[in-house]
Amino acid sequence: MAVGSAISSPLGPPACEKDAKALRLIEEMTRNADAVQERVLTDILAQNARTEYLSRFKLNGAIDRESFKSKLPVITYEDLQPEIQRIANGDRTAILSAHPISEFLTSSGTSAGERKLMPTIKEELDRRQLLYSLLMPVMNLYVPGLDKGKGLYFLFVKSETRTPGGLLARPVLTSYYKSEHFKTRPYDPYNVYTSPNEAILCPDSFQSMYTQMLCGLQDRHQVLRVGAVFASGLLRAIRFLQLNWEQLSVDIETGDLNRKITDPSLRECMAKILKPNPELARFVQQECSKESWEGIITRIWPNTKYLDVIVTGAMTQYIPTLDYYSGGLPKACTMYASSECYFGLNLNPMCKPSEVSYTIMPNMAYFEFLPHEPNSSGFTRDSPQKLVDLVDVEVGKEYELVITTYAGLCRYRVGDILRVTGFHNSAPQFHFVRRKNVLLSIDSDKTDEAELQKAVENASQLLREFNTSVVEYTSYADTKTIPGHYVIYWELLVKDPTNSPTDEVLKQCCLAMEEYLNSVYRQGRVADNSIGPLEIRVVKNGTFEELMDYAISRGASINQYKVPRCVNFTPIVELLDSRLVSAHFSPGLPQWNPERRR
């Protein structure tokens, strides 16, 4: 029930006093966005004034915007890699940050095929926790009664490693779930999960998913929202249920936990939760044995009000499948964050996925924006464009996000392309357009054109002994399968039809391609089971000429036409599939080791 008007908010009537405080903070930060940004930059420059990085550019203790903008260059990860490698190797001097680097957060973006290492400091956890604390107060404005039930969230930790200098390197969410902020979080009736911490923190993905699903089934009438980080993760959970419902129903019926669950702390925890429930077991068997799984989420969890998943950017491809399994439930995208920094939140979380806009919280970091012209080569050191401050962006224009963080990233290009959709008070709201240069993505993987080219070149070496070459190729992220997988269309030139490549050779080509894709992709294949085997579809000779003819018929210039290295327009995919000669899947798993290459 909303509290009285004495603590009302321009965003709407808060559900409780705690929510009112959070909503007041949002209003205060967004009303004074430019002043907050100036204070943030001053704090960062003062805190890191004596670092090697700022000293190199002769800032000499200056903390004003003008000095900062005139002396510090706009950089990419590759520019910063020597400093990051020194920190990773054990150099503890104040290179980027005056505060000690506490760990590295591994980005889903890659450099030279390996995950990027983002330095962070302990106080950043407080900033991330602050943003998390604002999500439910906003959601409560749109969905009443969330304190009367639980959230079924499929959350997982991923593998972590240590750098040569001994610092932990792990994904940002793994860092958060393993922190005291998460593990010892105070009870909040608006934010109760069905999954116990032991299930979320179990490093074995099967045991973690199995017990989280089991707890979700047990609490099926209490579940008010279902979620995962990405849409692809929620679909993997549904697929897991399809494959394991029979054993899950046995556990529910008997009250005995599957012997495949071997983690001692998890078994101990589940022993207190799992009780025999033959009636529920029969229900699960009845629903899951039906031929159609349409609406399965609301059939099993009938009180679900919305799905809490990211469905922007590359995840939009999963919306039709989510609609099928959920009966069209609303999909809430609540926040915008990355390994480098947490940025902001969606103040209208129940809007349509196509209308999602994130309000940047100006207290999280110092934000600048590089104007992005879709058809231009963009920013170069020789012809730099002027960066725009947070409050000065223009509605309708696209920008690349540039950040300066407390952990020592200065004028760092994140690689996200954003479009300004409006303002909340003086803080801009952005629609996430895409990651720059990303060609293919199924889950957290991001494969660019150069990586795909190298993978094709590597695989095509296997065709040489058959006097065969790849004439043309394109690609497609197939999300109709769960998990999704990469499809590579090849048109081959076979010079000797009596010695053409066999099915086995083309299967090995699939695996050879996977070996050359980045470590995030390979981890998704090997450890996370979030990506299916790569598929090569060989098409008839002349198919890519037909593709060009089709593009020209739709207005493309014959002089400027280039074969698209990725396709997602349905008629083009259908054209390619109609010319199919054969299909081949990777016969095994690529090599992947959680230990980074030295």
Side-chain angles (χ1 to χ4, degrees), residues 185-214:
R185 61 195 183 278
Y187 174 77
D188 177 357
Y190 290 94
N191 217 356
V192 179
Y193 296 150
T194 56
S195 300
N197 285 356
E198 291 84 350
I200 295 169
L201 295 172
C202 178
D204 184 283
S205 60
F206 174 85
Q207 296 184 55
S208 177
M209 178 75 88
Y210 191 94
T211 47
Q212 290 192 60
M213 184 64 76
L214 196 54

Side-chain angles (χ1 to χ4, degrees), residues 36 104 111 152 172 189 198 203 219 240 265 302 332 399 442 460 558 570 594:
V36 172
F104 282 108
S111 177
L152 168 53
V172 63
E198 291 84 350
D219 287 343
F240 186 91
S265 64
Y399 300 89
I442 293 293
S460 62
I558 192 167
T570 302

Side-chain angles (χ1 to χ4, degrees), residues 387-435:
L387 271 64
V388 178
D389 282 330
L390 180 69
V391 298
D392 295 328
V393 295
E394 297 178 43
V395 173
K397 290 195 174 179
E398 291 186 3
Y399 300 89
E400 183 183 345
L401 181 58
V402 177
I403 59 170
T404 298
T405 69
Y406 288 87
L409 296 179
C410 285
R411 309 198 90 187
Y412 177 87
R413 295 174 69 171
V414 174
D416 288 359
I417 306 299
L418 310 174
R419 184 185 307 114
V420 187
T421 58
F423 284 80
H424 180 76
N425 296 322
S426 61
Q429 298 177 306
F430 293 93
H431 175 71
F432 180 90
V433 178
R434 60 182 174 85
R435 283 285 296 176

Side-chain angles (χ1 to χ4, degrees), residues 230-439:
F230 293 116
S232 55
L234 182 52
L235 291 176
R236 279 204 313 281
I238 298 301
R239 180 62 179 157
F240 186 91
L241 181 60
Q242 285 180 318
L243 296 173
N244 295 280
W245 64 264
E246 291 179 84
Q247 183 59 52
L248 286 160
S249 64
V250 170
D251 291 15
I252 293 168
E253 184 172 13
T254 62
D256 293 326
L257 186 61
N258 185 345
R259 289 183 181 177
K260 288 183 181 176
I261 310 304
T262 57
D263 184 290
S265 64
L266 194 47
R267 288 200 71 89
E268 183 183 345
C269 166
M270 293 302 294
K272 298 170 188 171
I273 296 170
L274 191 57
K275 300 290 183 274
N277 190 337
E279 185 182 347
L280 176 59
R282 281 193 298 273
F283 171 80
V284 172
Q285 291 163 359
Q286 176 186 316
E287 288 300 322
C288 293
S289 62
K290 290 178 180 175
E291 188 175 338
S292 172
W293 272 53
E294 185 171 0
I296 193 69
I297 291 175
T298 46
R299 279 158 46 188
I300 291 182
W301 297 284
N303 299 315
T304 308
K305 299 186 179 189
Y306 65 93
L307 306 179
D308 190 344
V309 285
I310 293 172
V311 286
T312 52
M315 292 295 128
T316 57
Q317 59 195 336
Y318 295 105
I319 291 173
T321 315
L322 283 175
D323 284 341
Y324 175 80
Y325 285 126
S326 73
L329 279 175
K331 288 159 284 293
C333 297
T334 56
M335 68 184 290
Y336 172 37
S338 76
S339 303
E340 296 91 331
C341 176
Y342 279 26
F343 306 121
L345 69 166
N346 183 0
L347 296 181
N348 183 16
M350 299 302 280
C351 67
K352 295 176 183 176
S354 59
E355 296 171 0
V356 169
S357 288
Y358 299 103
T359 302
I360 299 290
M361 289 297 288
N363 55 326
M364 301 306 291
Y366 184 69
F367 300 104
E368 296 175 275
F369 298 87
L370 178 61
H372 176 71
E373 299 297 335
N375 298 316
S376 77
S377 57
F379 181 95
T380 65
R381 290 270 171 84
D382 298 326
S383 57
Q385 288 177 266
K386 187 175 180 182
L387 271 64
V388 178
D389 282 330
L390 180 69
V391 298
D392 295 328
V393 295
E394 297 178 43
V395 173
K397 290 195 174 179
E398 291 186 3
Y399 300 89
E400 183 183 345
L401 181 58
V402 177
I403 59 170
T404 298
T405 69
Y406 288 87
L409 296 179
C410 285
R411 309 198 90 187
Y412 177 87
R413 295 174 69 171
V414 174
D416 288 359
I417 306 299
L418 310 174
R419 184 185 307 114
V420 187
T421 58
F423 284 80
H424 180 76
N425 296 322
S426 61
Q429 298 177 306
F430 293 93
H431 175 71
F432 180 90
V433 178
R434 60 182 174 85
R435 283 285 296 176
K436 197 173 182 186
N437 300 328
V438 171
L439 208 62

Side-chain angles (χ1 to χ4, degrees), residues 78-92:
E78 285 66 32
D79 296 320
L80 214 54
Q81 207 157 10
E83 286 76 19
I84 287 173
Q85 199 57 55
R86 282 171 55 198
I87 298 168
N89 289 341
D91 191 332
R92 296 292 178 264

